[in-house]
Amino acid sequence: MDITIIQACKKQQREAQRLVYEKMATKLYHVQTSLKKEEEIEEVLADTFIPFSLKLTN
């Protein structure tokens, strides 16, 4: 991932945050295809992105 995108995320730039989400969500979604329920997949995605977002703001 490009360092400038990460820096923009730290500055709360929504477009950069969207780019990170779109890049990672698709990959994570495919990894989670072994899970059967949509709710489980969404929970795993949230469990991944929330800590990531918190680290960017701290």
Side-chain angles (χ1 to χ4, degrees), residues 3-57:
I3 190 71
T4 57
I5 293 174
I6 299 300
Q7 290 171 337
C9 286
K10 288 182 176 184
K11 294 177 182 175
Q12 301 296 314
Q13 294 178 5
R14 290 288 193 202
E15 181 64 19
Q17 293 169 341
R18 185 186 60 77
L19 289 172
V20 170
Y21 176 83
E22 287 178 356
K23 184 170 186 158
M24 295 179 69
T26 302
K27 292 177 183 179
L28 287 170
Y29 190 87
H30 289 295
V31 168
Q32 302 307 323
T33 55
S34 63
L35 299 173
K36 302 298 180 206
K37 295 181 181 178
E38 185 72 23
E39 298 83 25
E40 291 175 336
I41 296 169
E42 290 172 357
E43 183 175 343
V44 169
L45 290 174
D47 288 348
T48 302
F49 281 108
I50 291 172
F52 176 77
S53 298
L54 291 173
K55 286 184 181 197
L56 286 176
T57 58

